Amino acid sequence: MDIKSKDETPSSTEPAEGMNIQSEEEIPPSTEPVERVKTESEDETPSSTEQAEEMEIKSRDETPSSTEAAEEMEIKSGDEMPSSTAPAEDEDNNRGNDVLYLNVGGTVVNVLRRTLCRGGRSLLASQFSGKQDETLIKDRDGNFFINQPFELFSILLRHLWARDSWSPRAAPIVPPALEDFAAKRDYHTFLNMVEYFEMTPVVYPTRILIHKGNPESSQIEQYPRCSVTASKLTTFVMQSQGHGRSIQSFRIKVGKVDDLRVGWAGDEFIILDFMKHKLHMRGGAIVDARPIELQDGSTILCERTPKGFQWELDGEIVSQYQTLPASTLIPAFKGKGSWHITDVVLAYS
């Protein structure tokens, strides 16, 4: 009886040129059941001890151990139940299709969540990402309340709706201009609202322009792709539009290039030649840069710093120049090949 009780009760312990421009698995028993050979002298009726042993063997054969049962349940559970670590992006994508009810200055309007989240790092996108829904102000009907004049916020919405339906084959989206407003004061109020929601880079994106070269040998795709393909050596610049903020930094992802020089230009210029490892400045000044291995897929970060200018390649600083950076300088790049602008940061002053 002691043996049987032990078997049935589970253990509690289991389981540059010049540019003048802008539990562990259970170990099985080591004693396997041994087949008994009956002799003539043995009684036909098994003893109680033999009966107990036979019952024990039979129990072992027919009843799985608690560890085996747990393993079977685990396998079955793994086959039938989805993983708890499903990709978070699926949830984000589904959330983007939410229809939100907004009360804008007393007027109710419906809009998809993803439309408001188009500026991924903006205040507007952060507020309506779905993570702050319980803390946002709502009216008595449960609509999200936006304390802005509808006639101005609706212009922002129309612009975002246009971006939702835009395709590369369509004409560039024109941002709201002064003539779109009844009064100049309304235009400036709109600019302040766009700035408050941190949507300026979305509504008024920088544009890529050809400064020097044959337009027929170059192809430019404006925001949101911001890509350049040049079959011949061509000089390009980036300019802000619709506001007075200068560009603080920009990032380029390089494709296949035969030549590429990146920097700033305007009344003066400072350009880093990534092929010849030289830093060129107006007046013919040249400064040697550390050896640079530019590859397809490399990322260049060009930025103004409090002390001057800095270039990074794939996260490593490759060149610095200390001088007081002029706010009038604009991003410039000259090259042959393909690349695209992945990020533009505007200055706050």
Side-chain angles (χ1 to χ4, degrees), residues 29-38 42 49-50 53-58 60-61:
S30 58
T31 56
E32 296 292 332
V34 179
E35 183 179 355
R36 297 179 67 254
V37 179
K38 188 168 102 172
E42 287 180 336
T49 302
E50 293 170 341
E53 291 176 351
E54 183 178 352
M55 290 176 63
E56 180 181 355
I57 295 171
K58 186 175 182 180
R60 289 180 181 175
D61 292 339

Side-chain angles (χ1 to χ4, degrees), residues 16-21 211-213 232-237 259-274 276 278-286 332-336:
E17 293 175 2
M19 293 191 295
N20 184 18
I21 49 177
H211 172 70
K212 187 177 181 181
K232 296 182 180 179
L233 196 61
T234 308
T235 303
F236 304 86
V237 295
D259 195 344
L260 186 59
R261 311 163 202 185
V262 180
W264 306 84
D267 294 336
E268 52 185 313
F269 66 87
I270 180 166
I271 304 291
L272 179 60
D273 189 329
F274 279 81
K276 297 181 179 179
K278 302 287 185 180
L279 189 62
H280 297 261
M281 288 162 284
R282 188 175 183 179
I286 300 176
F333 30 87
K334 180 176 184 177
K336 176 184 177 182

Side-chain angles (χ1 to χ4, degrees), residues 1 12-13 18 22 40 46 62 70 184 201 217 296 324:
M1 295 295 293
S12 61
T13 58
Q22 302 190 294
E40 295 180 356
E62 294 179 355
K184 186 176 182 181
S217 64
D296 186 352
L324 186 62

Side-chain angles (χ1 to χ4, degrees), residues 138-155:
K138 301 180 182 68
D139 64 14
R140 61 185 181 184
D141 296 323
N143 304 312
F144 294 105
F145 184 75
I146 296 180
N147 191 31
Q148 296 289 338
F150 179 76
E151 60 269 19
L152 297 183
F153 194 82
S154 62
I155 296 176

